[in-house]
């Protein structure tokens, strides 16, 4: 089969579409004939040699895919050859085939195109596990989504709105109209405006109940300032650095919580549990049309370098890579 390989870490041109050995599904695994994968920010770091795959994960890039079941390994029940699926991966999605633990497979939601389904597993699992399971967002609360135009952000805005939350988001100004269409009540231009003041203004001084943050250190103090009493800040990205000072006094007074999580390094059992939660609680919203894949562009897998340049620049939602 062919896969995107990285003979030498570096810029987008380090990505090479090359012939590699076929994967074999082991016990409890399913072989997926990949139709599409999606670019995640983590892939840019892996390409640069800064985010090696966890032990046991396929060496190639790609944290999610859609496709058709090509074979099932020993002990797998509930999945059949020929079935259309999408999957949360620990790696290996930028390839024609990938072997994946059966617990990380999802059916393609009714009404979603097979290629577009590749845009869903990573964002659905990340957003549901953090915003619902960890932070416990409830209808009527306010959710602040940083980076609303990202793959994660475009999903989180729709999901938060579908759950009945008021959704505020930060993004560069050119993306605001689209983010309001997706369900954001208000978009904040983080380059020109003070997001803490904007959140306070839009919540009558109460603050946000839940913040989904991708910036990390550079936003920590401001995020705590923007939290409501009893608020929950969940950090899932460190685009603004990893080390910052935290004023515990500010947290304590608000009885607020700060948490941080990563999906990729979780053991397969935890991933399977999250995938089950997504199937039960998110897929019905997708099938009802309340949450849709947001796809910026589709490109052939061999043009992965162009796709990475797009994700490093200006895009809204996901950039997909297709095998044909
Ligand atoms: N922990 C986990 O399990 C997990 C899983 C998946 C993703 N993530 C993280 O989630 C983040 C989004 O991932 P992705 O693949 O969806 O990324 P992406 O599509 O590449 O988007 C990155 C976004 O960052 C935004 N941004 C840059 N500077 C900003 C700032 N100062 N304030 C607000 N937004 C800013 C950009 O918005 P503009 O274009 O508007 O500037 C862009 O939309 C990444 O940090 C990724 O590592 C974490």
């Amino acid at each position: 089969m062919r896969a995107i390989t990285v003979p030498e870490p570096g810029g987008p041109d380090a990505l090479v579409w090359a012939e590699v050995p076929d994967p074999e599904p082991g016990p409890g695994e399913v072989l997926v004939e990949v139709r599409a994968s999606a670019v995640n920010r983590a892939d840019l770091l892996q390409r640069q040699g800064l985010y090696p795959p966890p032990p046991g994960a396929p060496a190639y890039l790609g944290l999610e895919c859609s496709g058709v079941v090509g074979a099932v390994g020993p002990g797998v029940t509930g999945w059949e050859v020929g079935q259309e699926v999408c999957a949360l991966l620990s790696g290996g999605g930028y390839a024609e085939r990938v072997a994946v633990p059966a617990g990380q497979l999802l059916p393609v939601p009714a009404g979603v195109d097979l290629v577009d389904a590749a845009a869903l597993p990573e964002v659905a699992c990340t957003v549901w596990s953090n915003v619902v399971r960890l932070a416990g967002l409830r209808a009527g609360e306010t959710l602040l989504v940083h980076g609303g135009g990202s793959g994660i952000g475009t999903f989180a805005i729709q999901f938060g709105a579908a759950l009945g939350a008021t959704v505020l988001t930060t993004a560069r100004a050119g993306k605001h109209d689209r983010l309001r269409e997706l369900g954001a009540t208000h978009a904040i231009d983080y380059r020109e405006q003070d997001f803490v003041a904007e959140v306070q203004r839009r919540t009558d001084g109460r603050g946000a109940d839940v913040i989904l943050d991708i910036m990390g250190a550079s936003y920590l103090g401001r995020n705590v300032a923007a939290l409501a009493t009893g608020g929950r800040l969940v950090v899932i990205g460190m685009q603004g650095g990893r080390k910052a000072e935290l004023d515990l006094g500010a947290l304590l007074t608000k009885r607020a919580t700060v948490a941080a999580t990563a999906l990729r390094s979780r053991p397969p059992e935890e991933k399977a549990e999250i995938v089950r939660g997504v199937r039960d609680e998110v897929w019905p919203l997708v099938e009802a049309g309340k949450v849709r894949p947001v796809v910026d562009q589709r490109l052939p897998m061999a043009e992965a370098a162009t796709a990475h340049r797009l994700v490093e620049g200006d895009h809204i939602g996901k950039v997909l890579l297709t095998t044909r």
Side-chain angles (χ1 to χ4, degrees):
M1 70 161 188
R2 286 167 303 172
I4 292 289
T5 60
V6 187
E8 282 296 326
D13 293 322
L15 302 173
V16 180
W17 186 226
E19 199 62 40
V20 300
D22 268 64
E24 287 287 331
E29 289 186 336
V30 168
L31 183 81
V32 178
E33 302 279 345
V34 176
R35 180 70 184 87
S37 186
V39 180
N40 283 280
R41 194 135 205 106
D43 304 343
L44 313 181
L45 297 175
Q46 184 170 338
R47 186 199 73 214
Q48 294 167 73
L50 303 174
Y51 191 43
Y60 314 116
L61 277 68
L63 298 175
E64 56 194 333
C65 73
S66 61
V68 174
V69 173
V72 292
V76 172
T77 53
W79 299 101
E80 284 172 18
V81 172
Q83 202 173 344
E84 291 191 342
V85 292
C86 53
L88 176 70
L89 306 173
S90 302
Y94 291 18
E96 289 175 320
R97 292 186 193 97
V98 64
V100 54
Q104 288 165 224
L105 283 185
L106 286 151
V108 172
V112 175
D113 171 85
L114 180 59
V115 169
D116 288 348
L120 289 173
E122 175 76 11
V123 291
C125 291
T126 302
V127 173
W128 177 81
S129 61
N130 286 290
V131 169
V132 170
R133 210 178 61 159
L134 183 61
L137 180 72
R138 292 182 292 273
E141 289 194 319
T142 299
L143 169 68
L144 170 63
V145 175
H146 282 301
S150 64
I152 289 283
T154 49
F155 185 90
I157 289 170
Q158 299 180 80
F159 184 57
L163 293 180
T166 297
V167 182
L168 309 179
T169 190
T170 58
R172 65 176 85 176
K175 299 184 176 176
H176 288 190
D177 287 346
R178 181 82 179 98
L179 303 188
R180 279 190 291 264
E181 279 167 25
L182 290 175
T185 319
H186 180 62
I188 302 163
D189 179 0
Y190 69 83
R191 295 177 168 184
E192 300 291 334
Q193 293 177 294
D194 171 2
F195 78 77
V196 180
E198 281 297 301
V199 169
Q200 297 297 353
R201 197 163 71 81
R202 293 281 163 172
T203 57
D204 297 326
R206 256 182 1 93
D209 300 292
V210 175
I211 300 180
L212 184 64
D213 177 57
I214 61 171
M215 296 309 294
S218 64
Y219 275 11
L220 182 63
R222 282 179 280 170
N223 276 333
V224 171
L227 275 181
T229 299
R232 293 85 74 197
L233 163 63
V234 187
V235 180
I236 61 161
M238 298 182 292
Q239 290 175 210
R242 55 193 294 169
K243 288 191 183 171
E245 231 174 59
L246 177 60
D247 176 357
L248 288 170
L251 265 191
L252 192 139
T253 319
K254 289 184 171 176
R255 304 183 295 284
T257 311
V258 179
T261 73
L263 181 59
R264 191 186 196 185
S265 54
R266 286 182 189 261
E269 314 79 78
E270 283 187 29
K271 286 185 180 152
E273 192 196 329
I274 291 171
V275 164
R276 270 196 303 277
V278 164
R279 189 173 176 167
D280 291 346
E281 296 187 21
V282 181
W283 259 213
L285 298 175
V286 177
E287 295 187 341
K290 292 182 178 170
V291 179
R292 304 298 297 168
V294 178
V295 175
D296 187 286
Q297 277 194 52
R298 294 177 176 190
L299 290 165
M301 200 76 81
E303 293 174 29
T306 308
H308 274 217
R309 282 193 193 91
L310 263 170
V311 172
E312 282 168 347
D314 194 3
H315 65 288
I316 294 190
K318 297 289 242 182
V319 175
L320 300 185
L321 293 169
T322 60
T323 51
R324 59 184 157 82

